[in-house]
Amino acid sequence: MRGIVTAAVVLAFLSNHVAGHQPEEGARRRKSLGFGSKHPQAGFRTNPPQPSSFSGGATACPFATAKHFADDLLGYLPSETHSYRVRDDSYTDKNTGVTHVYLRQLVNGYEVMDGDINLNVKDGVVLSYGNSFFTGPAPTEASTGANPHIEYCEALEAELLQHQQVSTQDQEVLSTGGNNHVAELEHLMESNCHHAEVPLAFGRPGASQPTEHSVENALLQFMIAATPKVDLAKDMIHRAGEYVKEMSSIFVHDLHDNHSPAMQIHNVPDTVSPVKARVGYTQVVSEDGERTSLELVYKFEVEMQDNWYEASVAAVAPHKVLSVVDWASDAAPVPTQKRKESTRATYNIFPWGMNDPSEGDRKIADENVDSLASPAGWHAFPWANDPQSLQGSGSSKAPKGEFWRNTTSTMGNNVWAHEDWEGQNNWLHNYRPDAGADKVFDFPYKPHDTNKTDALGEAKKYINATVTQLFYTTNMVHDLYYRYGFDEISGNFQQYNFGRGGRENDAVIANAQDGSGYNNANFMTPPDGQNGRCRMYLWNTAMPYRDGDLEAGIVIHELSHGLSTRLTGGPSNSGCLGWGESGGMGEGWGDYLATTIRSTKKYKDYPMGAWAANREGGIRNYVYSTNSTINPSTYKTLDKPGYWGVHAIGEVWAEILFVVNAKMIEKHGYSDTLFPPSPLEDGTIPEGDFYLPIKVDAKGNKGPLVPKHGNTLLVQLVLTGMKLQPCNPTFFDARDAIIQADKVLTGGENLCTLWSGFSDRGLGPDAKVEGRLPWGGGIRTNDFDLPTACRK
Ligand SMILES: *[C@@H]1O[C@H](CO)[C@@H](O)[C@H](O)[C@H]1NC(C)=O
Ligand SMILES: *[C@@H]1O[C@H](CO)[C@@H](O)[C@H](O)[C@H]1NC(C)=O
Ligand SMILES: *[C@@H]1O[C@H](CO)[C@@H](O)[C@H](O)[C@H]1NC(C)=O
Ligand SMILES: *[C@@H]1O[C@H](CO)[C@@H](O)[C@H](O)[C@H]1NC(C)=O
């Protein structure tokens, strides 16, 4: 009963702070924590020598090959203190035939949450591997080593100080948005460093707070750092004991992850669902920076209004916060069954390839059913995977004997799109346009000139058109990425997986006109089997307001977070693109894909988010351009003050890929469509003018499908590269993974073309970095040269 009383107290508290969620005038800046240790021993290696003693040969089971390789690499056989498990989200890629094997380290029987080996195996050979296993002896007691949270905040402060001094002299920085960079650093500090010291006070003898270490204390201390509500944080500090008492923990016996005990904690302030917790180890860097030590932690999964955190908090008091990844990513700080034709829906939308309303008018488009990617179309899913009927709510109950639930609204197997004017987390029964039995989604969109008072009301009039567009774009992106290998087994977003592997019940939840803010967008990517969340906002940058749902580039950028997060480090590990270079590339891939999708045969420079932001140059520092005068970003740009935020880093990565793309088009020409041909009745995919002729070896084995044009091939290499690269990749790792993807797919035909693109922006073979912190900084050296093999 006590729990219910508390819930009411906490709710009342929440409503006191609803102000924090009211739409603000300017850009919406979410509070978001993100930091952790960089593991000095971690690395990614392509084409490693193979252990000699293994005689499995090319036909060996890839898992046996992987295990043999790993045991040789580790130099010990699994024992009571040191072992690993093969994660069950490991899979074999259908097209490349590469098996991606993920090992999770176990020490003293506990998982090392950031101890991963990913091995890419084909024909009995380990093509490449990443390794972040802890290398020291098993700890016998809880360590009380470094505090990455405090270290991050100190480093941020130092960077900010230095930048403030530098920016008065450095005209270039100023002229390229230097002030933006200060603002970015300030935002990072405000997000991450509020109450950074508080956890240390907790559990201190004599303090008024509880001194016992417990999972509830650890969680409360995280919530103090995580909540964006200043008063709530203060109250949690003040009345810690009471908050802790009101939490209740239950053990959950999960069929899948039975290696660490799992708990669910209820009544946690400022969360929107029970917190999941597991015990394990996290690595923290030793003082000399050369090794890591293990710290016993609670690993929490905390879903909040604006964040979805994976956090490691020391299990022993003082409960330091050791690492945090926010599964939510923002868009930008501003400034084989043939279906009957008759069952297809139609939509009045800005067509695919048109970035935003400034590029033309809406047209009627078909439900573009790709029979491979969406065999049941966009408006059907099984009753058994229907969250409405699973909740037993509403009119939605399975009629006897019916397998499919067919909808006439914007609910389908890949995405559920709807308004979210309240800006809350409910979505199951939010308003969706219903097009009736003929599924004609033809709704008016004619925004009138307005004044500020009426602008919101005017925008809301077009919710039917807007939700339709969001539904359409999201389905197209689902189908497109599917065809390049983001399928069920690699962790894509679908309610039902057609028995093709992977975890289901995770369609994208897409909120249009989300009322929790303006001038942004974000995406939350939990592990495979849990719904991704996409929130799109209105932009009050012009009258009438502009609706982010109508700018395809922004929607594509957001959905690409789901793609890169699920493909990097395996479908069940959502913690691989948290901060620093890896977090930055998470942004960069989104810009690269959004730009590639809108590109046309005739070369042009492209801004990002220009229509929504009502700014010619868009929301990045530079437009994407192969011309170094227009976009001067190179690898070394990351040294610059202010390049700590993931968007600035991402912009450099996207620019590098933009240049690589141009080189690939120069060599292989351009395909007007990124969509491969539909499969034939028998399920085979015709080469058409899209794929290179399929290679068949002496034994009659067919090689992979490889797109033949520059733009399509690079999309394929980038997606395959994501599957090959390790958790927490650096720019070098991601570059090497793309080069290896080319080797896997074409035998390495594009080695020198790819290098020429990377080298053009300083990421040549001898590029290096010294003194990099996990989150930013360091001194980089550009290399504009090609590898010897490619020099003419
Ligand atoms: C419902 O959807 C399924 C899967 O796409 C399809 O086979 C079936 O024909 C649809 N039923 C109706 C009545 O449209
Ligand atoms: C805004 O426009 C509406 C209708 O166009 C009008 O009724 C209202 O008075 C205007 N408000 C202001 C403050 O101008
Ligand atoms: C949306 O479309 C429905 C018909 O499907 C209509 O009843 C409703 O008024 C429309 N909403 C708006 C805001 O125009
Ligand atoms: C690059 O851009 C600059 C500035 O717009 C322009 O002067 C120059 O001609 C461009 N170079 C090329 C090769 O197009």
Side-chain angles (χ1 to χ4, degrees):
M1 283 304 99
R2 206 175 49 194
I4 292 166
V5 173
T6 316
V9 170
V10 173
L11 270 181
F13 214 178
L14 274 176
S15 57
N16 266 342
H17 295 274
V18 162
H21 286 284
Q22 289 295 317
E24 296 136 26
E25 281 297 301
R28 172 156 165 74
R29 301 304 309 272
R30 239 168 17 101
K31 175 184 168 95
S32 176
L33 300 170
F35 55 83
S37 296
K38 171 175 156 279
H39 307 132
Q41 85 285 14
F44 178 58
R45 185 147 182 209
T46 56
N47 311 316
Q50 307 294 308
S52 53
S53 56
F54 188 57
S55 56
T59 56
C61 159
F63 288 91
T65 305
K67 272 178 80 71
H68 178 74
F69 187 96
D71 291 341
D72 184 74
L73 179 72
L74 295 170
Y76 56 76
L77 286 174
S79 69
E80 255 175 37
T81 56
H82 285 72
S83 61
Y84 57 80
R85 67 182 178 91
V86 178
R87 277 169 34 198
D88 63 3
D89 56 337
S90 304
Y91 63 95
T92 301
D93 185 85
K94 286 197 195 82
N95 187 35
T96 60
V98 174
T99 303
H100 304 284
V101 182
Y102 301 101
L103 308 182
R104 172 59 56 84
Q105 187 174 25
L106 301 169
V107 169
N108 293 333
Y110 284 119
E111 276 192 47
V112 180
M113 307 290 196
D114 50 3
D116 290 295
I117 293 181
N118 70 308
L119 300 121
N120 304 304
V121 185
K122 192 177 179 183
D123 300 334
V125 173
V126 173
L127 307 175
S128 56
Y129 70 94
N131 176 7
S132 64
F133 268 26
F134 167 70
T135 56
T140 51
E141 53 190 44
S143 121
T144 49
N147 188 333
H149 193 182
I150 304 286
E151 283 164 22
Y152 180 45
C153 292
E154 286 173 357
L156 271 176
E157 198 172 358
E159 182 72 7
L160 193 55
L161 205 64
Q162 187 193 352
H163 180 63
Q164 281 160 343
Q165 286 163 356
V166 167
S167 64
T168 51
Q169 305 148 8
D170 187 340
Q171 289 307 316
E172 191 205 3
V173 169
L174 280 179
S175 66
T176 59
N179 291 326
N180 242 346
H181 292 159
V182 174
E184 184 62 31
L185 284 172
E186 283 169 351
H187 175 72
L188 287 174
M189 266 205 69
E190 207 174 296
S191 256
N192 285 279
C193 301
H194 250 282
H195 304 298
E197 304 273 357
V198 165
L200 294 179
F202 258 75
R204 213 177 254 164
S208 60
Q209 289 87 1
T211 53
E212 301 268 303
H213 43 77
S214 70
V215 64
E216 292 86 2
N217 282 351
L219 180 54
L220 188 70
Q221 287 171 325
F222 176 70
M223 294 315 302
I224 289 168
T227 181
K229 298 162 188 162
V230 177
D231 291 349
L232 178 59
K234 284 189 191 141
D235 197 59
M236 283 192 270
I237 295 168
H238 191 63
R239 301 192 299 119
E242 287 165 57
Y243 279 97
V244 163
K245 250 192 236 149
E246 297 308 336
M247 294 184 201
S248 60
S249 310
I250 54 168
F251 276 87
V252 182
H253 296 279
D254 188 5
L255 209 56
H256 293 296
D257 277 321
N258 52 359
H259 290 267
S260 293
M263 281 168 275
Q264 267 196 1
I265 306 167
H266 296 254
N267 295 339
V268 182
D270 214 15
T271 59
V272 299
S273 64
V275 171
K276 295 182 193 165
R278 282 187 305 148
V279 177
Y281 286 114
T282 284
Q283 302 180 63
V284 294
V285 179
S286 64
E287 264 179 31
D288 60 14
E290 311 227 314
R291 283 164 301 112
T292 61
S293 59
L294 291 182
E295 185 113 21
L296 197 65
V297 296
Y298 291 111
K299 182 93 160 188
F300 294 122
E301 295 179 18
V302 182
E303 190 184 4
M304 302 168 67
Q305 176 78 34
D306 286 334
N307 311 86
W308 203 338
Y309 286 119
E310 178 181 287
S312 291
V313 181
V316 177
H319 297 289
K320 295 172 291 189
V321 182
L322 297 173
S323 78
V324 202
V325 172
D326 191 350
W327 291 339
S329 307
D330 292 302
V334 173
T336 49
Q337 273 165 294
K338 203 94 182 140
R339 286 163 43 84
K340 281 192 239 93
E341 294 294 318
S342 61
T343 62
R344 287 196 181 191
T346 53
Y347 316 87
N348 190 356
I349 41 93
F350 294 100
W352 180 250
M354 190 180 283
N355 191 65
D356 58 69
S358 74
E359 295 192 339
D361 295 325
R362 294 192 305 160
K363 288 198 172 67
I364 302 290
D366 242 7
E367 180 181 359
N368 194 342
V369 180
D370 185 301
S371 59
L372 204 56
S374 297
W378 292 347
H379 294 272
F381 42 82
W383 285 101
N385 300 74
D386 173 16
Q388 288 182 339
S389 62
L390 289 175
Q391 286 242 332
S393 55
S395 56
S396 161
K397 279 199 93 175
K400 230 177 159 182
E402 293 282 328
F403 182 78
W404 294 106
R405 178 175 177 199
N406 302 73
T407 75
T408 53
S409 71
T410 49
M411 291 188 285
N413 199 42
N414 308 324
V415 52
W416 288 42
H418 38 254
E419 62 68 37
D420 187 29
W421 290 331
E422 281 181 12
Q424 300 295 315
N425 273 48
N426 47 300
W427 53 270
L428 214 47
H429 298 287
N430 288 24
Y431 175 75
R432 303 180 177 94
D434 194 318
D438 57 359
K439 291 190 276 182
V440 177
F441 290 81
D442 186 4
F443 301 104
Y445 175 69
K446 279 201 194 77
H448 295 97
D449 256 339
T450 50
N451 54 39
K452 223 160 173 120
T453 327
D454 287 353
L456 185 58
E458 179 65 16
K460 286 181 173 180
K461 283 186 195 161
Y462 307 104
I463 192 67
N464 285 333
T466 282
V467 171
T468 299
Q469 182 80 46
L470 181 59
F471 180 79
Y472 179 83
T473 306
T474 306
N475 273 303
M476 289 293 281
V477 170
H478 167 276
D479 288 4
L480 180 76
Y481 291 178
Y482 193 101
R483 298 300 304 270
Y484 287 85
F486 187 35
D487 54 9
E488 293 87 354
I489 205 163
S490 58
N492 76 351
F493 299 89
Q494 290 175 197
Q495 278 310 107
Y496 177 59
N497 282 358
F498 307 95
R500 300 195 286 204
R503 297 194 186 160
E504 48 195 22
N505 294 313
D506 63 352
V508 170
I509 305 308
N511 298 349
Q513 300 191 351
D514 191 290
S516 65
Y518 281 111
N519 304 354
N520 213 331
N522 53 54
F523 196 91
M524 301 188 186
T525 317
D528 197 20
Q530 298 179 60
N531 297 97
R533 299 272 176 92
C534 184
R535 297 196 295 184
M536 302 299 299
Y537 299 141
L538 288 168
W539 293 62
N540 60 14
T541 49
M543 290 296 161
Y545 284 177
R546 296 185 176 182
D547 190 325
D549 302 286
L550 304 182
E551 180 148 357
I554 297 177
V555 179
I556 294 163
H557 175 101
E558 295 312 325
L559 296 170
S560 301
H561 280 296
L563 168 82
S564 58
T565 303
R566 290 272 176 90
L567 290 188
T568 305
S572 292
N573 190 353
S574 285
C576 295
L577 301 175
W579 56 77
E581 287 189 18
S582 50
M585 288 189 293
E587 302 296 333
W589 283 305
D591 280 16
Y592 155 69
L593 287 163
T595 303
T596 290
I597 289 170
R598 72 183 295 192
S599 293
T600 53
K601 189 164 193 159
K602 189 172 180 305
Y603 173 88
K604 258 170 66 181
D605 296 345
Y606 290 102
M608 187 68 208
W611 177 74
N614 192 18
R615 261 175 155 200
E616 204 186 331
I619 56 177
R620 304 291 185 232
N621 292 314
Y622 306 102
V623 298
Y624 293 115
S625 174
T626 54
N627 183 330
S628 302
T629 313
I630 294 169
N631 188 326
S633 303
T634 65
Y635 178 53
K636 191 166 174 55
T637 304
L638 300 186
D639 291 1
K640 283 200 179 188
Y643 274 76
W644 282 40
V646 287
H647 295 99
I649 299 172
E651 183 182 337
V652 176
W653 180 243
E655 169 64 12
I656 292 172
L657 292 180
F658 188 81
V659 172
V660 174
N661 185 47
K663 303 266 184 200
M664 291 293 279
I665 292 170
E666 204 179 303
K667 177 166 172 191
H668 294 293
Y670 184 87
S671 169
D672 286 321
T673 175
L674 293 175
F675 275 96
S678 288
L680 304 172
E681 295 268 342
D682 67 358
T684 58
I685 297 161
E687 287 160 11
D689 184 42
F690 194 88
Y691 289 115
L692 292 169
I694 294 173
K695 287 186 183 149
V696 182
D697 69 12
K699 288 190 209 127
N701 297 320
K702 279 188 173 177
L705 282 165
V706 184
K708 74 186 223 191
H709 299 98
N711 53 334
T712 51
L713 179 53
L714 187 61
V715 170
Q716 184 63 70
L717 297 183
V718 165
L719 263 75
T720 301
M722 287 177 191
K723 295 179 177 180
L724 295 169
Q725 70 197 4
C727 191
N728 288 316
T730 63
F731 273 39
F732 299 153
D733 297 340
R735 172 200 66 193
D736 293 352
I738 288 171
I739 289 170
Q740 185 165 61
D742 180 58
K743 189 155 183 215
V744 169
L745 286 161
T746 72
E749 279 174 20
N750 301 292
L751 180 78
C752 297
T753 311
L754 292 168
W755 274 117
S756 78
F758 288 119
S759 301
D760 194 80
R761 294 304 173 128
L763 208 59
D766 290 331
K768 57 177 199 248
V769 56
E770 278 162 299
R772 175 177 51 198
L773 298 170
W775 328 283
I779 298 179
R780 288 165 180 75
T781 308
N782 278 333
D783 177 16
F784 296 105
D785 268 345
L786 296 173
T788 330
C790 299
R791 288 183 205 154
K792 295 210 182 84

